[in-house]
């Protein structure tokens, strides 16, 4: 009986080592197949991420770079809107006033389109109690004729 038990014990050890050996080989092959199948996608994604990072860093560098020394900085629209308080007092005294809007202006250090400039200036004039009576274009910019808004009856 002891011999019988030894044989079964010996057979179990051989089967376990054989199973472990087969599992190790299968695991190794599966890992190799996974690396071969997945690596092109990983390379594609890494290039895509690098491209986006480079573009983002280029935008940040362009925004942080000082303007070239030979260019004249554009006037800020914030200064034009700040001048509306002087136009209001002049319009109340004289019945009308002129606001000068330069041809090209910046909003938050970026050049603004004419639509944005018109929208912001007309809103600031409306809140100040003025309305636009007419406009005239010159080389320096636009001359906006402002009059006090008629009070509602």
């Amino acid at each position: 009986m002891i011999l019988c038990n030894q044989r079964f014990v010996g057979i179990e050890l051989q089967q376990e080592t054989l199973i472990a050996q087969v599992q190790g080989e299968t695991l190794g092959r599966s890992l190799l197949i996974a690396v071969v199948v997945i690596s092109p996608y990983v390379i594609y994604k890494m290039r895509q991420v690098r491209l986006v990072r480079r573009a983002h860093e280029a935008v940040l560098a362009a925004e942080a770079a000082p303007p070239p020394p030979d260019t004249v900085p554009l006037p800020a629209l914030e200064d034009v809107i700040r001048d509306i308080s002087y136009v209001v007092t002049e319009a109340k005294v004289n019945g009308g006033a002129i606001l000068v809007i330069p041809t090209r202006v910046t909003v938050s250090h970026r050049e603004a389109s004419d639509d944005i400039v018109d929208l912001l200036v007309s809103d600031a004039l409306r809140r100040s109690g003025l309305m636009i009576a007419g406009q005239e274009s010159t080389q320096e910019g636009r001359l906006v004729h402002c009059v006090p808004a008629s009070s509602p009856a």
Side-chain angles (χ1 to χ4, degrees):
M1 205 165 187
I2 293 177
L3 291 175
C4 196
N5 284 342
Q6 288 178 353
R7 268 191 174 161
F8 289 130
V9 173
I11 291 174
E12 283 184 20
L13 290 177
Q14 288 177 350
Q15 287 178 349
E16 287 179 10
T17 55
L18 183 61
I19 291 174
Q21 185 180 3
V22 170
Q23 286 179 349
E25 290 172 0
T26 305
L27 182 63
R29 274 190 241 134
S30 299
L31 182 62
L32 181 63
I33 291 170
V35 167
V36 169
V37 169
I38 300 295
S39 61
Y41 182 73
V42 169
I43 292 169
Y44 166 75
K45 275 304 190 183
M46 287 175 52
R47 286 181 180 169
Q48 191 178 28
V49 167
R50 285 183 191 149
L51 182 67
V52 169
R53 281 184 184 164
R54 280 189 214 126
H56 182 67
E57 289 170 358
V59 167
L60 291 177
E63 288 179 354
D70 59 338
T71 61
V72 177
L74 295 175
L77 185 62
E78 292 89 347
D79 296 336
V80 174
I81 291 176
R82 193 176 308 123
D83 290 341
I84 289 177
S85 63
Y86 301 115
V87 174
V88 169
T89 57
E90 185 177 333
K92 287 181 180 177
V93 171
N94 299 330
I98 296 177
L99 176 67
V100 179
I101 303 173
T103 307
R104 295 171 54 202
V105 294
T106 61
V107 174
S108 298
H109 306 290
R110 293 186 180 150
E111 190 169 354
S113 67
D114 289 338
D115 295 334
I116 298 292
V117 172
D118 291 341
L119 182 69
L120 293 174
V121 168
S122 63
D123 181 57
L125 288 172
R126 181 187 52 79
R127 286 185 287 128
S128 298
L130 298 176
M131 59 184 246
I132 298 173
Q135 293 186 23
E136 183 181 335
S137 295
T138 64
Q139 287 185 350
E140 294 83 25
R142 286 183 292 162
L143 303 176
V144 179
H145 301 280
C146 305
V147 294
S150 59
S151 60

